[in-house]
Amino acid sequence: MRVKVDPLVCQGHGVCHIAVEDLYGIRDSDGRATVLLDPVPEELRAAARKSVGACPEQAITIVEDEAASPAGATTSTLALLANSRSLP
Ligand code: SF4
């Protein structure tokens, strides 16, 4: 699993850094978030998933490992797949 922060969307609130200090840093140069651990270690994966919803700008995306999900699928993609399968 990997976490990506879109630098064009991030506004530097720092909520992600407060939520998962070991995973997100805040750059001195522009005040935006940066991912410190890539890939995300097993022990931080649950917290990483929660941090997606904590970001007020929706700047964080989870990219699952290929073995765990379809190639290149993001959490948004997986949610769409799950929803489409529940339709009649
Ligand atoms: S919470 Fe979102 S907008 Fe705020 S610093 Fe983290 S990634 Fe950027």
Side-chain angles (χ1 to χ4, degrees), residues 5 10-16 26 33 55-57 59-60:
V5 173
C10 175
Q11 295 297 310
H13 304 290
V15 175
C16 56
I26 301 294
C55 173
E57 305 295 335
I60 302 171

Side-chain angles (χ1 to χ4, degrees), residues 3-38:
V3 173
K4 298 195 180 293
V5 173
D6 185 336
L8 300 177
V9 177
C10 175
Q11 295 297 310
H13 304 290
V15 175
C16 56
H17 174 66
I18 293 167
V20 196
E21 194 171 87
D22 292 339
L23 183 57
Y24 300 101
I26 301 294
R27 285 192 297 255
D28 289 337
S29 59
D30 61 7
R32 291 190 166 84
T34 185
V35 177
L36 302 175
L37 300 170
D38 184 30

